[in-house]
Amino acid sequence: MSDPGPALSAQKSWFIARARHRFAMTRECALLLPRVCAALADPRQPGSDDTCLEKLLDWFRTLTEFDPAVKLVQDNPCLTEFITSVLALPEPSPSILSFTLRLAGILAASESRFQHLQQEKLLVRLFGGDGPLSSAVWEDASVRSGWVEGVHSMMHHQPALHFLCNGGGIDVIFALQGDPSLFVASAASRLLVHMLILSVETETTKPLSAKDCDWPACAQMIIKRVEDSLQSSSASHVEQSLKLLTSLFGSCRSTWTEVLWLGIAKQIESFLTEKTVQVQHMLANLLLSMAWSPVFCDSEGSFWALVTSALEHLTPVQAGPLAVGILRLYKCPQDVRIQALTVLLQPMDCILRAASQPLEYAGLLDESVSDPATVEGLLSSKSSCAGLLCQTLAHLEELLSLIHLPVDLPYASLLRSLMTILQFCNGFLSPASPLGSTISRILINCFRVQRSALDVLAALSERKGCDTLIGSLFDVLLAYLESPNTSPTVLKKTFQATSKWLVRLHELSCSNSQWQQTEKILEDVFLVLQKRLCSPCWEVRDSSLEFLTVLIKSLRDQDEFRQSLLSSEVPRLTENLLEDPESYVRASAVTAVGHLAFITYFAPESPVIGNQYDKENTVAKLQEILSTDPEGFPRRAVITIFTKWLRQGCTGQLEDTEQFVSRVIQTVEHDLDWEVRLGGLELVEVFCSQTICQLGPPKCSYAPVSSAVTSSIHQNKSLQVFCRAKLFSFLFRSLCDCDKPVGQRACDILLALRGSFYPISTLKDSQETGDSPAGSGIAWLQRTLRQGSLAQNFPTDGGNGVDFEDPESMMLALGTIDLEELHDELNKCSDHVEKSPQSLLQDILATVGTIEENEADCY
Amino acid sequence: MPEIKVTPLGAGQDVGRSCILVSIAGKNVMLDCGMHMGYNDDRRFPDFSYITQNGRLTDFLDCVIISHFHLDHCGALPYFSEMVGYDGPIYMTHPTKAICPILLEDYRKITVDKKGETNFFTSQMIKDCMKKVVAVHLHQTVQVDEELEIKAYYAGHVLGAAMFQIKVGCESVAYTGDYNMTPDRHLGAAWIDKCRPDLLITESTYATTIRDSKRCRERDFLKKVHETVERGGKVLIPVFALGRAQELCILLETFWERMNLKAPIYFSTGLTEKANHYYKLFITWTNQKIRKTFVQRNMFEFKHIKAFDRAFADNPGPMVVFATPGMLHAGQSLQIFRKWAGNEKNMVIMPGYCVQGTVGHKILSGQRKLEMEGRQILEVKMQVEYMSFSAHADAKGIMQLIRQAEPRNVLLVHGEAKKMEFLKQKIEQEFHVNCYMPANGETTTIFTNPSIPVDISLGLLKRETAIGLLPDAKKPKLMHGTLIMKDNSFRLVSPEQALKELGLAEHQLRFTCRVHIQDPRKEHETVLRVYNHLKGQVFPFFFYPPRNGLELIILR
């Protein structure tokens, strides 16, 4: 890896220093901790909220990460006292015992603290055979989970390793791999992997080799157990070991893993061929994790032979994930890749063959490599057909989403196969062949398969080589768009695929000048879109509008597209949907109308002019939505569209734009939805930067107290424009917004404006308000803002004589108010105080002894 | 043996967030997809990686069912469907589908407001997720696929809350979600028919409590609000936009009307109109009283409750304000609280529970000096009241539901381990059924004895009746035939028909075995003896007398 560079490492150390400071054991915390410990260990107190205990552990984890010294436990003897007192309880509550185990593990993560706890004999009492392990509370999954997590946390040094191995802990962990709790079982498996790696990597004195593999004692114990369980006749034992190996090979890339593998390879291989123990489904994952490890993928011969054998022996469903994983690899023998491709394409091939008459046969795969009997069997069974197809389609989509595909797929045949599946699903194809008719009967109206096939279809549009089929593809897509049986979710996916293929169609028609085909298809698409825009189902109307917006975004520069669109009823229907009863639809209609405007009004060669598309009317409608719509989504959509128009220079000359912006911000500043207000600020930001660009930067630097400056202020057109448009009132008010992101954004804009109006050199001198007429008002403003933006509302009367439309006052305000300080304040979490360790300790203490009803309550 | 497996990923011996996986007859269903509001990191969502080791979630899960709109039941849904990648069907009732996005938006806003919170869904994700939802009506049997069907029952609790029955073949599970067995001011009581599920998964929040009448709590609430307003104080009621807010609004509206009170009542956000709009829209989901009075007056069109403007907080004189969010952790409710906290005449009433890390939690646990930003100390002099209006079934209600549904097994979720333990024993004693209470991550397996229907071919039946045996329901009798299992259905047909249907040719097998018998008697005598002996054997042996030496043919 490349060096992150000094800037990045400086940033990293800044973050560490900040976190260390934030989570440090302050004097206040150290004072609270003994009381908290006493309360937690007191069985008479009702148990503390689980989240409190979790957060307390988070804090200790951070504390100990930054500081491995023993000082933490020495300075805070309450911690060891707490452990001792919990151990002394005759019947500790499972949650407190679990907490204690995890806490002890976190503390023992450093060797010095481990020794300290050992001296006190706490670790052996907690994690040894006579501890919770042998008590009745062990029945509780949270205690077992706490035990495993505690051991995992401490497992960073050899003493911990020896402590556990010598105390019989390995047996416990192996047993916990089969725990009834999924969480405990998987934590135990992860722990074993961690211990094995730790043991080999810290205790091996010379490199291990197949001939001379002198495993360290702890590693030896684990490996022996793994080998034994692989030979066991119990499927669950074998599964546990395979899981462990999968996770090991997936996380450890050291060469010793190969030495370990050589010892078990024969046994693993036998699972494939003998099938006495049903664990084949686990083998694909194991082999895949190995294939991704350089230790194995660079090896020659035996490993890849095993992968090939697995691809042959596993069922298509089991082999699928392995095949797709192999196909993603850049380094892989060609014959294995072909084998994997065969596995993946087999079902698609089968579909094609099932649909075709013998003479038309054009499968995906060469007959010599394909053995279709199994796949045909699965596809003709109702219980497995959809499952296998969905899995295959998902894998294909995964492959197609890769930018660089290490393998060539037969795109045209794949597309044909996809079309066939989609036609089976909507009943448009019922072939005569027995297999074909069986599959089509099974797939008819199968939404799952439809959704997956459409996803692949969309992904396939990025690939070349399917162009000859594009006409028939649109027949299939249009059939889906038209059919009343298409479910809303399938329709949404059809829209997604259609929009992608329309872009592809356009590219094609540019190169082969087949405009007629394109026009016909577009005409059909808009015809069906008209119907869908009137659907009684809001999901369909919304997806239709989203589809229209996507189309306009990608094809608005194309004449054929514009003409087809404008000669259809779609624009009118879209405008009608601005009054839809469903707010999501209104919002999507706003976005669509906003984009339509790029074609109807804003394009230099707007094809239709006249009453039909009245720009003022549309703007007025959107304005009305912004000021009156009872719900946030449409209003948010309007402000986003307005900003987009402004950004693209569609709002006319500067004067018009000034009025437009002014009108908009006066509407949004009282909006109840913070995202609308935030959108308003974005609009202001764009307007400011455009105005400054247009009118040029200030010609000279300003110092607000001098009279020379006063005149130059008046010459500063940008500032005057901003004042006239009432931007400053909006910006300063927003600093006091009860929703933090609004304040933050306003502060950012004000800082940027100050940067434009004040060169840094003059800023230092301008921090005093002086005795100018506006001075007292600004001083008041400064005080108000300093009190904490969230502390109070911005006075409604505009406040104590501050004239937000007076350029001089605003210039003074920009130069005087400590915006940096405000910025820092606003950028703090709104709950940063409540999140602090001290606050947590106070909360735990305060909860002790409160009525129990609160805890049990919920929604 | 057929089995039903249940694994809670959340709500197993806790009330954090509900997410329960059920496997029934080869189908996998996720019940609820909740979020834990006590965490700001990934722990707020259930760990979905446990659902399937490597496969795709969409392939593994047949559907997701959401019981109601509370975030601890639906809060992780957009994350699950738009970020984790579940693309299959999601079911909920119509009101839940309408209201869910409002609450999700509300919560998204708060999390975005708090910096450092990552991995959270966007507005577009909420919409895309809701578009995947299939809304269901009460008592409508919805066919998820050919085998799996679900049916919703009224659960009370909040508007649109439902219990669901999940059925595959003759095996079934009923899931209660949160429910309330007593009607309240705006909702009716939960009801389920005698569906006799193999397993009833029930919430057990108030497993050991017999709750006092809600009327008492309501009276108490009104008394406190009234007293404060009378002495000129201001009352802040932090609420979430939907649910309890509406219940309390009705309560105050009626009280104000009756007492002819003049102090203004405000609802702080624009959400109230939308919320009330849904209550009006889904009037059939409310209780009988509201439905009846609807003809004369809609209970959700409030005369006394007005929209709040931020500037009103500084107005002198008494007032009551409902403000969001409900735990005083951000936004408007916190802003108003800061303003009013210093005055002992004022009061804050927390009508629901607050997670640690919120100002609501602090004041409820009795803390009165709160550190705010900039190290400022806010001294809370105003009165702090906690009043739980949460609508869950108490121990009595849970027992009543079990009596109604008559399940064969019960599984407790959404409660505390200790209380569950108590209720479990009670259920086992009273109903003589097994009761389970798995922790999160623990799988409970329940064996079922499904009766498998088998169709009998007409030909076979006729043949049986032809030999004089008329069917009699009281006398089950043995019937011979060939069982054909095809497309998940079973048919018993005559062997000839089976051969014909399956297109198979008939083959006859002959097993021979040579046996040497040492017998001093003559060969003929020996054969006869053996013949007579075997002839005496009962079915299924057939014996053909030897034609040619010592050859026996025995057919089974």
Side-chain angles (χ1 to χ4, degrees):
Chain A
M1 248 174 70
S2 60
D3 179 28
L8 224 84
S9 52
Q11 197 183 16
K12 197 178 162 193
S13 31
W14 180 81
F15 271 117
I16 293 174
R18 208 174 74 145
R20 184 179 283 189
H21 171 74
R22 192 170 162 192
F23 296 107
M25 176 68 82
T26 57
R27 209 175 61 85
E28 290 88 352
C29 288
L31 283 173
L32 287 166
L33 193 58
R35 285 165 57 208
V36 168
C37 287
L40 291 178
D42 185 350
R44 287 162 307 174
Q45 299 292 352
S48 197
D49 177 2
D50 280 351
T51 58
C52 287
L53 297 180
E54 285 288 330
K55 288 174 190 172
L56 203 52
L57 288 173
D58 288 349
W59 178 46
F60 279 111
R61 217 169 275 127
T62 329
L63 269 181
T64 52
E65 257 169 39
F66 291 132
D67 185 7
V70 72
K71 209 168 162 296
L72 176 71
V73 272
Q74 282 172 341
D75 288 355
N76 299 285
C78 59
L79 291 171
T80 44
E81 284 161 22
F82 165 72
I83 299 173
T84 314
S85 42
V86 171
L87 280 167
L89 293 175
E91 277 179 29
S93 86
S95 74
I96 284 298
L97 187 55
S98 171
F99 169 78
T100 313
L101 287 160
R102 294 193 290 163
L103 174 68
I106 291 167
L107 294 175
S110 87
E111 211 170 321
S112 57
R113 284 193 300 260
F114 175 87
Q115 301 298 2
H116 180 90
L117 295 176
Q118 270 290 62
Q119 279 161 17
E120 309 253 334
K121 301 229 174 333
L122 292 177
L123 292 177
V124 74
R125 290 175 64 197
L126 280 169
F127 297 100
D130 296 330
L133 252 171
S134 54
S135 71
V137 273
W138 190 250
E139 287 298 305
D140 194 290
S142 69
V143 174
R144 300 195 299 276
S145 171
W147 190 92
V148 177
E149 279 185 48
V151 172
H152 202 133
S153 299
M154 78 166 84
M155 210 44 75
H156 288 287
H157 41 77
Q158 285 187 33
L161 206 54
H162 294 158
F163 161 72
L164 206 80
C165 293
N166 300 338
I170 296 274
D171 293 336
V172 180
I173 307 171
F174 264 95
L176 288 176
Q177 280 191 110
D179 198 88
S181 163
L182 286 174
F183 302 160
V184 176
S186 97
S189 180
R190 283 197 301 272
L191 173 58
L192 284 169
V193 172
H194 178 73
M195 286 172 70
L196 180 56
I197 297 173
L198 182 71
S199 169
V200 177
E201 295 188 349
T202 61
E203 299 188 310
T204 312
T205 45
K206 55 181 181 179
L208 295 156
S209 73
K211 282 179 194 151
D212 177 20
C213 66
D214 187 13
W215 299 105
C218 177
Q220 178 63 47
M221 286 167 92
I222 297 173
I223 292 169
K224 175 79 177 48
R225 296 290 299 257
V226 170
E227 286 172 346
D228 288 350
S229 64
L230 284 175
Q231 282 167 356
S232 123
S233 57
S234 143
S236 67
H237 282 141
V238 179
E239 271 183 24
Q240 285 160 20
S241 289
L242 290 178
K243 212 180 270 178
L244 186 152
L245 290 168
T246 306
S247 149
L248 173 70
F249 295 136
S251 58
C252 178
R253 310 288 202 226
S254 305
T255 48
W256 60 264
T257 50
E258 193 179 15
V259 180
L260 170 64
W261 169 249
L262 291 174
I264 53 173
K266 278 267 168 301
Q267 184 61 39
I268 303 275
E269 209 177 327
S270 73
F271 295 137
L272 265 183
T273 46
E274 289 173 12
K275 302 194 175 173
T276 39
V277 190
Q278 293 296 317
V279 289
Q280 288 74 25
H281 60 286
M282 308 279 298
L283 294 176
N285 296 333
L286 173 67
L287 294 175
L288 202 54
S289 76
M290 291 170 74
W292 282 91
S293 161
V295 177
F296 298 100
C297 76
D298 289 341
S299 71
E300 291 189 0
S302 62
F303 170 69
W304 289 112
L306 184 61
V307 173
T308 312
S309 160
L311 289 169
E312 276 167 16
H313 284 93
L314 296 176
T315 66
V317 176
Q318 290 166 349
L322 178 61
V324 75
I326 296 290
L327 288 173
R328 295 180 65 145
L329 283 175
Y330 285 95
K331 265 175 149 182
C332 161
Q334 188 62 12
D335 55 334
V336 182
R337 192 170 284 166
I338 291 174
Q339 181 71 32
L341 200 58
T342 310
V343 168
L344 190 65
L345 295 180
Q346 196 89 260
M348 305 301 283
D349 179 59
C350 227
I351 290 285
L352 266 190
R353 276 185 293 107
S356 306
Q357 300 298 319
L359 285 176
E360 292 173 315
Y361 175 74
L364 270 157
L365 296 170
D366 193 320
E367 268 180 296
S368 61
V369 295
S370 97
D371 169 28
T374 323
V375 172
E376 279 180 8
L378 288 169
L379 287 180
S380 45
S381 151
K382 205 171 190 176
S383 55
S384 54
C385 177
L388 177 64
L389 277 181
C390 284
Q391 185 188 295
T392 307
L393 291 166
H395 288 155
L396 282 169
E397 194 201 349
E398 191 184 330
L399 275 186
L400 288 168
S401 65
L402 298 177
I403 297 167
H404 300 293
L405 196 59
V407 63
D408 267 337
L409 291 172
Y411 297 123
S413 310
L414 208 51
L415 178 59
R416 192 171 285 132
S417 183
L418 283 170
M419 282 156 51
T420 310
I421 292 176
L422 286 169
Q423 285 173 310
F424 280 161
C425 290
N426 68 355
F428 274 43
L429 194 65
S430 33
S433 74
L435 179 65
S437 75
T438 311
I439 298 178
S440 65
R441 261 206 318 275
I442 296 173
L443 288 185
I444 198 151
N445 279 333
C446 182
F447 297 153
R448 268 174 75 194
V449 175
Q450 287 175 352
R451 283 196 300 261
S452 305
L454 286 161
D455 279 339
V456 188
L457 203 59
L460 202 59
S461 67
E462 312 282 331
R463 309 279 165 178
K464 304 227 158 45
C466 313
D467 305 340
T468 48
L469 296 169
I470 208 159
S472 30
L473 167 66
F474 273 102
D475 289 342
V476 176
L477 288 172
L478 281 163
Y480 268 75
L481 291 178
E482 275 165 13
S483 166
N485 292 331
T486 307
S487 83
T489 48
V490 173
L491 186 76
K492 190 178 173 205
K493 300 228 178 227
T494 316
F495 277 137
Q496 279 163 355
T498 308
S499 61
K500 291 205 165 179
W501 279 98
L502 279 175
V503 175
R504 180 91 197 103
L505 175 72
H506 166 73
E507 286 164 8
L508 267 181
S509 49
C510 284
S511 60
N512 63 14
S513 306
Q514 289 191 343
W515 303 110
Q516 274 185 327
Q517 186 193 21
T518 310
E519 276 170 26
K520 174 78 183 67
I521 290 173
L522 281 171
E523 208 174 283
D524 291 344
V525 167
F526 287 126
L527 217 56
V528 75
L529 189 60
Q530 279 170 204
K531 267 193 227 159
R532 292 299 189 178
L533 285 170
C534 304
S535 164
C537 176
W538 74 263
E539 292 90 340
V540 171
R541 297 196 301 277
D542 191 73
S543 299
S544 309
L545 289 165
E546 285 180 332
F547 169 66
L548 176 64
T549 305
V550 170
L551 283 191
I552 299 173
K553 273 185 187 168
S554 34
L555 295 169
R556 78 181 206 209
D557 298 330
Q558 313 311 321
D559 287 340
E560 305 75 45
F561 171 77
R562 287 202 302 255
Q563 273 158 12
S564 304
L565 172 59
L566 295 180
S567 55
S568 73
E569 286 288 296
V570 168
R572 187 183 60 81
L573 293 169
T574 305
E575 283 214 20
N576 289 352
L577 291 178
L578 290 174
E579 285 156 30
D580 197 274
E582 179 60 44
S583 65
Y584 275 141
V585 180
R586 288 202 299 281
S588 296
V590 166
T591 311
V593 165
H595 281 85
L596 257 175
F598 288 116
I599 296 176
T600 47
Y601 326 122
F602 303 142
E605 68 289 7
S606 289
V608 185
I609 303 161
N611 292 341
Q612 194 186 355
Y613 298 106
D614 181 358
K615 179 182 165 186
E616 300 309 320
N617 187 25
T618 305
V619 177
K621 265 189 194 164
L622 296 193
Q623 272 276 13
E624 196 193 332
I625 291 175
L626 186 63
S627 50
T628 57
D629 199 292
E631 293 187 46
F633 304 119
R635 302 199 305 268
R636 283 183 216 166
V638 172
I639 194 75
T640 310
I641 278 298
F642 282 172
T643 310
K644 196 172 178 64
W645 285 357
L646 182 64
R647 204 171 256 140
Q648 306 221 352
C650 304
T651 45
Q653 297 301 312
L654 183 62
E655 295 79 46
D656 298 339
T657 304
E658 181 191 318
Q659 282 176 11
F660 169 73
V661 170
S662 179
R663 228 175 19 242
V664 172
I665 57 175
Q666 283 176 64
T667 313
V668 298
E669 71 179 334
H670 300 295
D671 201 291
L672 288 168
D673 186 313
W674 68 284
E675 285 187 64
V676 177
R677 301 197 296 278
L678 199 64
L681 287 170
E682 204 180 330
L683 181 91
V684 165
E685 199 174 15
V686 175
F687 177 62
C688 289
S689 65
Q690 279 184 350
T691 312
I692 290 172
C693 273
Q694 221 170 328
L695 299 176
K699 290 190 182 75
C700 57
S701 50
Y702 305 103
V705 283
S706 79
S707 59
V709 165
T710 311
S711 63
S712 56
I713 285 172
H714 292 296
Q715 283 163 18
N716 185 342
K717 287 187 184 157
S718 311
L719 188 63
Q720 286 169 1
V721 168
F722 298 157
C723 285
R724 276 203 308 271
K726 302 189 175 67
L727 293 197
F728 286 107
S729 151
F730 179 41
L731 287 169
F732 281 111
R733 267 168 211 282
S734 297
L735 289 176
C736 290
D737 200 286
C738 70
D739 290 303
K740 219 155 234 204
V742 177
Q744 285 166 349
R745 192 61 172 264
C747 196
D748 289 342
I749 297 171
L750 284 167
L751 274 166
L753 279 180
R754 193 182 67 182
S756 300
F757 293 129
Y758 285 96
I760 295 167
S761 56
T762 60
L763 198 61
K764 278 179 194 154
D765 308 325
S766 62
Q767 298 286 324
E768 296 298 320
T769 50
D771 49 7
S772 68
S776 65
I778 300 304
W780 165 84
L781 182 63
Q782 191 172 5
R783 276 197 310 278
T784 304
L785 295 172
R786 213 175 252 163
Q787 279 172 3
S789 54
L790 288 178
Q792 69 178 72
N793 291 329
F794 203 82
T796 40
D797 57 0
N800 298 19
V802 185
D803 184 355
F804 289 103
E805 288 170 46
D806 169 38
E808 194 184 338
S809 301
M810 288 305 101
M811 199 62 194
L812 186 63
L814 280 178
T816 316
I817 291 165
D818 191 349
L819 292 168
E820 276 86 5
E821 189 192 43
L822 260 173
H823 183 264
D824 286 352
E825 200 54 47
L826 284 163
N827 274 286
K828 276 182 192 157
C829 291
S830 59
D831 64 348
H832 79 281
V833 178
E834 288 91 60
K835 262 190 193 165
S836 70
Q838 188 188 337
S839 161
L840 173 66
L841 295 173
Q842 282 167 342
D843 282 358
I844 296 175
L845 273 181
T847 321
V848 171
T850 51
I851 46 166
E852 212 176 322
E853 196 185 359
N854 291 6
E855 295 160 49
D857 200 7
C858 67
Y859 288 90
Chain B
M1 202 164 180
E3 58 190 26
I4 294 172
K5 285 188 170 184
V6 182
T7 313
L9 290 182
Q13 299 183 8
D14 72 21
V15 280
R17 52 166 138 64
S18 292
C19 182
I20 300 146
L21 295 173
V22 174
S23 292
I24 169 170
K27 301 284 168 186
N28 299 304
V29 178
M30 186 199 272
L31 303 171
D32 282 334
C33 189
M35 171 171 67
H36 198 310
M37 289 198 275
Y39 294 109
N40 298 323
D41 50 26
D42 273 354
R43 282 175 289 186
R44 68 177 135 216
F45 300 129
D47 192 342
F48 298 117
S49 64
Y50 287 99
I51 298 179
T52 158
Q53 292 297 317
N54 283 289
R56 290 169 71 237
L57 280 168
T58 313
D59 293 338
F60 180 80
L61 279 181
D62 291 278
C63 72
V64 173
I65 294 172
I66 301 294
S67 64
H68 63 287
F69 64 64
H70 278 152
L71 292 178
D72 56 339
H73 293 259
C74 74
L77 194 59
Y79 172 75
F80 185 59
S81 76
E82 306 307 306
M83 296 167 89
V84 180
Y86 171 71
D87 203 16
I90 302 161
Y91 293 92
M92 54 179 81
T93 63
H94 284 276
T96 307
K97 182 175 179 181
I99 295 165
C100 240
I102 303 182
L103 291 189
L104 289 167
E105 273 294 325
D106 212 27
Y107 194 74
R108 189 187 66 81
K109 176 192 146 172
I110 293 160
T111 50
V112 175
D113 186 19
K114 290 180 185 177
K115 284 208 126 193
E117 298 216 7
T118 51
N119 214 10
F120 213 73
F121 41 77
T122 62
S123 252
Q124 180 70 33
M125 286 175 181
I126 297 175
K127 178 170 88 171
D128 288 340
C129 168
M130 297 323 292
K131 280 162 91 170
K132 291 179 185 167
V133 171
V134 182
V136 301
H137 294 286
L138 284 183
H139 305 154
Q140 169 200 5
T141 301
V142 178
Q143 213 63 47
V144 176
D145 59 34
E146 283 191 8
E147 290 114 31
L148 173 63
E149 61 181 46
I150 59 171
K151 190 173 177 182
Y153 293 93
Y154 192 75
H157 188 60
V158 287
L159 190 73
M163 305 191 265
F164 279 89
Q165 188 193 16
I166 302 118
K167 207 171 165 192
V168 185
C170 54
E171 289 174 88
S172 69
V173 170
Y175 171 59
T176 64
D178 291 352
Y179 64 103
N180 189 8
M181 293 300 280
T182 49
D184 64 24
R185 226 155 244 279
H186 68 309
L187 295 171
W191 180 85
I192 193 164
D193 59 22
K194 214 173 271 307
C195 54
R196 296 193 177 102
D198 292 294
L199 176 67
L200 173 75
I201 303 175
T202 172
E203 68 133 323
S204 50
T205 319
Y206 293 140
T208 52
T209 319
I210 303 292
R211 296 202 88 193
D212 57 349
S213 119
K214 208 162 181 178
R215 297 273 159 193
C216 297
R217 259 170 294 148
E218 287 173 0
R219 266 200 301 275
D220 201 21
F221 169 76
L222 290 171
K223 191 170 156 236
K224 281 186 173 131
V225 173
H226 191 198
E227 279 171 5
T228 310
V229 171
E230 281 295 290
R231 63 166 182 264
K234 295 176 168 62
V235 182
L236 171 65
I237 309 169
V239 285
F240 283 98
L242 264 141
R244 213 151 300 153
Q246 280 63 38
E247 186 185 348
L248 297 181
C249 280
I250 296 179
L251 200 59
L252 280 189
E253 170 83 10
T254 325
F255 187 70
W256 248 237
E257 185 73 27
R258 200 174 69 226
M259 304 291 286
N260 197 21
L261 296 177
K262 296 286 177 256
I265 308 174
Y266 298 114
F267 203 108
S268 81
T269 70
L271 289 171
T272 175
E273 292 96 56
K274 183 157 184 173
N276 293 339
H277 164 74
Y278 284 124
Y279 274 85
K280 284 177 222 165
L281 192 65
F282 300 114
I283 196 84
T284 50
W285 286 76
T286 53
N287 69 20
Q288 221 177 3
K289 189 178 166 196
I290 289 186
R291 284 203 302 265
K292 267 187 190 164
T293 51
F294 182 67
V295 189
Q296 308 122 28
R297 186 177 75 87
N298 187 326
M299 290 280 256
F300 296 101
E301 269 162 18
F302 300 120
K303 192 171 123 195
H304 297 273
I305 302 171
K306 302 277 181 326
F308 180 72
D309 185 289
R310 273 184 277 171
F312 295 172
D314 296 323
N315 287 356
M319 69 174 88
V320 181
V321 175
F322 289 94
T324 58
M327 298 189 197
L328 286 181
H329 46 313
Q332 206 141 48
S333 62
L334 185 58
Q335 198 178 32
I336 300 171
F337 173 76
R338 284 170 196 237
K339 279 177 188 292
W340 294 357
N343 189 339
E344 60 273 13
K345 276 206 291 189
N346 297 340
M347 177 184 280
V348 57
I349 300 180
M350 307 296 295
Y353 133 104
C354 297
V355 296
Q356 191 276 328
T358 59
V359 172
H361 181 270
K362 281 188 182 292
I363 58 169
L364 279 186
S365 61
Q367 298 179 62
R368 290 294 175 264
K369 283 192 176 162
L370 307 180
E371 193 188 324
M372 294 285 155
E373 283 103 332
R375 300 258 158 195
Q376 291 170 8
I377 300 289
L378 179 70
E379 199 169 340
V380 183
K381 291 183 184 157
M382 74 196 300
Q383 294 180 55
V384 179
E385 293 291 339
Y386 174 77
M387 275 178 206
S388 168
F389 281 90
S390 70
H392 293 271
D394 61 5
K396 217 168 87 187
I398 298 170
M399 300 300 270
Q400 192 186 336
L401 188 87
I402 296 174
R403 210 166 291 125
Q404 254 180 36
E406 289 191 2
R408 295 186 183 93
N409 297 276
V410 177
L411 189 141
L412 304 178
V413 291
H414 201 280
E416 288 170 87
K418 264 189 199 163
K419 298 180 180 175
M420 278 183 177
E421 189 63 57
F422 175 82
L423 184 68
K424 173 177 144 62
Q425 284 174 10
K426 216 173 140 195
I427 290 170
E428 286 181 332
Q429 272 169 17
E430 188 167 336
F431 298 104
H432 306 289
V433 294
N434 286 327
C435 184
Y436 306 87
M437 41 174 280
N440 286 329
E442 275 184 342
T443 301
T444 297
T445 305
I446 288 145
F447 295 101
T448 56
N449 291 312
S451 46
I452 301 164
V454 175
D455 293 331
I456 298 177
S457 79
L458 195 62
L460 193 64
L461 266 181
K462 279 183 179 163
R463 197 164 75 180
E464 289 289 318
T465 44
I467 49 175
L469 296 167
L470 286 169
D472 182 354
K474 284 180 189 160
K475 288 182 190 163
K477 69 185 189 67
L478 201 62
M479 195 177 234
H480 297 275
T482 306
L483 190 67
I484 299 182
M485 291 187 271
K486 204 177 165 192
D487 292 339
N488 286 338
S489 69
F490 295 82
R491 272 186 321 126
L492 193 70
V493 299
S494 65
E496 298 79 32
Q497 196 183 338
L499 289 173
K500 204 171 145 195
E501 274 189 30
L502 300 171
L504 301 173
E506 186 178 349
H507 296 272
Q508 289 190 344
L509 289 182
R510 197 165 94 156
F511 296 97
T512 63
C513 176
R514 198 171 285 266
V515 181
H516 291 277
I517 296 168
Q518 300 290 332
D519 193 356
R521 273 179 282 258
K522 282 181 183 165
E523 186 183 297
H524 177 72
E525 278 176 28
T526 307
V527 170
L528 209 63
R529 271 171 68 90
V530 174
Y531 171 67
N532 286 332
H533 171 73
L534 289 174
K535 211 167 64 170
Q537 297 297 314
V538 284
F539 179 86
F541 294 99
F542 295 94
F543 180 74
Y544 297 91
R547 287 182 290 265
N548 205 358
L550 273 178
E551 191 185 68
L552 301 176
I553 306 166
I554 299 172
L555 283 180
R556 178 164 188 169

